[in-house]
Amino acid sequence: MGKTALLIVDMQNDFCLPGAPFEVNGALKVAARIKEALQACRQYGLPVVHVIRHYRPDGSDVEITRYEAFVKAGGALIPGSKGAEIIEELKPIEGEYLIVKRRWSAFFQTELDTLLKRLGVDQVVITGVQTPNCIRGTVWDANSLDYEVIVLTDGTGAKTPEVHAANLFDMQNIGVKLMTTEEFINSLPQPPRENLIAKIRNDIGSHRQ
């Protein structure tokens, strides 16, 4: 049986603090739930991966659909700036991992998949902001890469509750497991899993006999 890892996506000052360039409404409320999940994962020794967004100061690597907003804000998420830092409540500690991305998905052109496989992880618990963009992109890629996926419904968030709920509905419809933070913590140290890869391998093996 593989391991379960906690992914914390884009919980940076420029996304979370009031008045930030790319502020997501309610991000600090989401952060409070993530902090609870993070403390529990630390207690039980689950791998923790902090995923953050960085952009070059000249905007040369910003998504084409976000470039105008980046320029209007005078830049954001620039390495070395206060805005690019992870919020105080969720700062990584020694032994936790940091992945830097430049697109919506935490897996796109990053070493995340390699890292998780090296750690023996086959299930990810995804938290952070915001649901229709980086959370959804990460969920879809995790599913495509054969990870079982849990999304914490109150450990993720969007600009409106309606957008958040609609995206959770779509995720659930492709087989992603939805849990509240409380449900997830109560399931530790063994979060629910279906061991789908093992089942598929067994089925394929039986057909060849």
Side-chain angles (χ1 to χ4, degrees):
M1 182 181 294
K3 296 179 181 178
T4 299
L6 177 69
L7 304 188
I8 304 174
V9 179
D10 286 356
M11 296 302 291
Q12 296 161 267
N13 291 326
D14 275 347
F15 286 122
C16 298
L17 296 186
F22 295 140
E23 179 188 358
V24 178
N25 293 338
L28 293 181
K29 183 177 179 180
V30 169
R33 301 287 79 75
I34 296 175
K35 184 177 181 179
E36 295 172 1
L38 175 59
Q39 291 172 334
C41 287
R42 287 171 174 170
Q43 177 184 348
Y44 288 104
L46 272 66
V48 175
V49 182
H50 301 262
V51 181
I52 62 172
R53 178 76 68 100
H54 276 172
Y55 290 134
R56 292 187 176 93
D58 65 359
S60 57
D61 55 354
V62 177
E63 294 93 336
I64 59 173
T65 52
R66 180 175 266 176
Y67 178 77
E68 187 174 341
F70 175 87
V71 172
K72 185 177 180 180
L77 302 162
I78 296 169
S81 70
K82 188 69 176 177
E85 293 179 6
I86 294 172
I87 62 173
E88 287 296 328
E89 300 94 309
L90 302 176
K91 291 280 190 185
I93 63 173
E94 184 176 356
E96 296 175 353
Y97 299 92
L98 184 70
I99 295 287
V100 178
K101 65 183 177 70
R102 285 182 168 81
R103 287 296 181 266
W104 312 111
S105 170
F107 289 96
F108 183 76
Q109 296 185 357
T110 74
E111 70 275 29
L112 179 57
D113 183 46
T114 300
L115 171 66
L116 293 176
K117 286 183 168 56
R118 182 64 62 88
L119 295 175
V121 170
D122 62 2
Q123 177 169 255
V124 290
V125 179
I126 298 180
T127 67
V129 295
Q130 63 171 317
T131 320
N133 300 345
C134 297
I135 301 306
R136 185 180 180 119
T138 299
V139 166
W140 254 247
D141 279 354
N143 179 264
S144 296
L145 291 165
D146 287 341
Y147 292 94
E148 295 189 32
V149 179
I150 296 171
V151 172
L152 298 191
T153 57
D154 54 352
T156 49
K159 288 192 174 182
T160 70
E162 293 78 14
V163 168
H164 181 57
N167 280 273
L168 292 177
F169 178 79
D170 284 346
M171 293 176 195
Q172 189 172 43
N173 278 350
I174 69 161
V176 169
K177 186 180 294 296
L178 303 182
M179 302 180 75
T180 65
T181 300
E182 182 179 12
E183 289 170 340
F184 169 65
I185 292 173
N186 289 340
S187 76
L188 294 174
Q190 296 294 334
R193 63 170 63 235
E194 297 183 47
N195 297 312
L196 295 174
I197 289 294
K199 291 178 183 178
I200 292 168
R201 287 172 178 163
N202 287 337
D203 285 349
I204 293 171
S206 65
H207 293 157
R208 290 178 176 172
Q209 293 176 358

